[in-house]
Amino acid sequence: MTEPAAPPKSRQKFSLNWGYLAAITSGQSAIDLSSLALRSLHDARQFAREYGFDLDQHATLLRIVRAHREAVDFILGHFVDPAHAALMPEEVRFADDPLLLLVYASQRGEQTDLLRLWSCAVLKVMHGIFYIDSDLKLRHFATIRAQIFASLDEVIHHDGVQYYLTDGQLRLPLLHYDRKSHKGRNSILLKLLQKAAYLASDIYDHLGVRLTFNTRFECLLALHALQRAHLLSVTNVDPQRTRNTLLDLEAAKQVFVKYRSMLDFSDGYPAALLHKMDEELLALAQPQSRSDNPHSGAGFSSLQVTLRKMIHLRGADIEHAHDGDVDFFFEYEIQLMDRASHDRSQSGPASHEAYKQRQVDTARLRVLGRDLLDLIGAARGGSGAQALPGGDAAPGPR
């Protein structure tokens, strides 16, 4: 094989940014980078164009400016004590051209490290904001929500006093029926900032319901009722998103077989018998740990199923539609709990407030990074990892 001819002599120096290349080749998330590798504002503009922005459009420039403002406000509102907001350099906080942050994020040196760390933090949040704003499904969220809840309304009824889950054969009384009809923008952003990929499409709980029954056996019966009503089937369940810390199915089967005939011949609703069956189930059951959510607290128990529903957008619903109707799958959650699990979730490590605080702590560390947290901590005379208020999501399925 002939050796390739030597290229013309160039003044370009051979150099490699090992940290940047390591991130690309190892699959490291952009949110975990501590710097970029841009040399000038010209590079920054090229970076922005490849990102997808037409910088010749005035609307695009306004979009970048708005994202910068939102990102700064988000960081100062969720991750930094108000008394220390001035620690963010004015060049970052009030940047005349937000593209300068890309340059600042690439500079290293004693005089520029503070600009780099704060610029990286703001850019990470801006990246999440751009993904939220570019998610086409969120643009049609009202139509999606209406179609999903229309299906749920067919099996969840209210008699003027309380809610029931029914498939036409079985009627299960609900202690609580909680609907998450929309995940707040700040909550979406907070959740994205915890994830390795932090894409809007990775948020699975934009919509969902939590069904709380008196006993765990009623949760099991509810699953069967949802299956008979065809809301839940093996074809529309996302198996990788199933989280079960509630039911030991083998132990439940053993108890159910024992009491099956008594259930069939009971007069009226067998609440007392179901409670007795739960006591035996808890005595037999092994702890369930089918959950990979690092923020769930000790003692939190639920069965969470993520379902895919085919959504139909008609031409009138679609902005700039040229090809007629559009169909796609959208995922939503159904979470089942018994009374005892629900009561534990109201306080302590299993509570929603504690759960959200753990999310804030994780996102703060990933966005600000250890070096910047240490600088903030030194400035206020405390620990950089000290918990701060944050989060705005309403309670609901996790």
Side-chain angles (χ1 to χ4, degrees), residues 179-368:
R179 291 184 11 161
K180 178 184 286 186
S181 58
H182 184 51
K183 196 172 185 69
R185 184 177 176 88
N186 280 353
S187 290
I188 297 174
L189 186 53
L190 182 64
K191 200 153 191 174
L192 293 178
L193 294 172
Q194 304 160 42
K195 293 173 169 284
Y198 74 122
L199 305 180
S201 58
D202 288 335
I203 300 293
Y204 297 96
D205 60 347
H206 289 295
L207 288 174
V209 295
R210 174 187 285 172
L211 310 178
T212 305
F213 299 92
N214 193 47
T215 64
R216 297 191 181 200
F217 267 103
E218 285 166 297
C219 293
L220 196 56
L221 292 168
L223 275 181
H224 190 46
L226 290 168
Q227 179 264 317
R228 282 199 304 259
H230 303 291
L231 266 76
L232 190 159
S233 71
V234 293
T235 58
N236 72 344
V237 170
D238 183 346
Q240 295 183 328
R241 296 289 306 166
T242 298
R243 307 287 182 262
N244 177 22
T245 53
L246 183 72
L247 288 166
D248 180 338
L249 207 60
E250 288 301 316
K253 181 179 179 180
Q254 184 177 335
V255 175
F256 185 78
V257 169
K258 177 181 176 180
Y259 289 98
R260 171 67 185 275
S261 61
M262 295 179 65
L263 285 171
D264 287 341
F265 293 102
S266 60
D267 292 328
Y269 190 77
L273 181 57
L274 288 166
H275 181 73
K276 180 180 179 180
M277 292 169 64
D278 252 34
E279 290 180 340
E280 292 195 22
L281 171 60
L282 291 174
L284 289 172
Q286 297 296 315
Q288 300 300 295
S289 57
R290 177 73 195 279
S291 174
D292 58 3
N293 189 335
H295 302 108
S296 291
F300 182 81
S301 299
S302 74
L303 173 59
Q304 179 177 296
V305 183
T306 298
L307 307 177
R308 305 183 188 95
K309 180 174 176 61
M310 178 77 77
I311 301 297
H312 308 285
L313 294 182
R314 300 302 173 231
D317 300 321
I318 306 170
E319 185 179 0
H320 308 303
H322 299 291
D323 300 321
D325 301 341
V326 174
D327 300 328
F328 57 88
F329 285 104
F330 190 90
E331 296 196 334
Y332 69 100
E333 290 183 356
I334 293 181
Q335 187 181 87
L336 304 174
M337 300 181 77
D338 66 317
R339 180 195 292 269
S341 300
H342 179 271
D343 290 347
R344 285 196 300 272
S345 73
Q346 300 307 297
S347 62
S351 71
H352 185 78
E353 288 72 19
Y355 172 77
K356 294 306 296 183
Q357 186 58 57
R358 287 188 290 271
Q359 287 188 318
V360 171
D361 293 341
T362 297
R364 178 188 299 110
L365 178 58
R366 296 195 76 196
V367 169
L368 300 184

Side-chain angles (χ1 to χ4, degrees), residues 28-34 120 124-125 127 192-198 363 365-369:
Q28 183 181 4
S29 171
I31 197 173
D32 294 316
L33 290 174
S34 60
C120 281
K124 291 171 184 178
V125 178
H127 186 43
L192 293 178
L193 294 172
Q194 304 160 42
K195 293 173 169 284
Y198 74 122
L365 178 58
R366 296 195 76 196
V367 169
L368 300 184

Side-chain angles (χ1 to χ4, degrees), residues 122-164:
V122 173
L123 288 169
K124 291 171 184 178
V125 178
M126 288 176 67
H127 186 43
I129 290 169
F130 292 140
Y131 269 110
I132 292 174
D133 290 341
S134 300
D135 191 314
L136 291 176
K137 292 181 180 180
L138 293 182
R139 294 187 186 181
H140 301 287
F141 194 77
T143 302
I144 293 169
R145 177 174 52 206
Q147 292 185 26
I148 287 176
F149 282 127
S151 296
L152 290 167
D153 287 344
E154 292 179 3
V155 296
I156 299 173
H157 301 166
H158 193 269
D159 66 357
V161 178
Q162 72 174 98
Y163 284 99
Y164 292 87

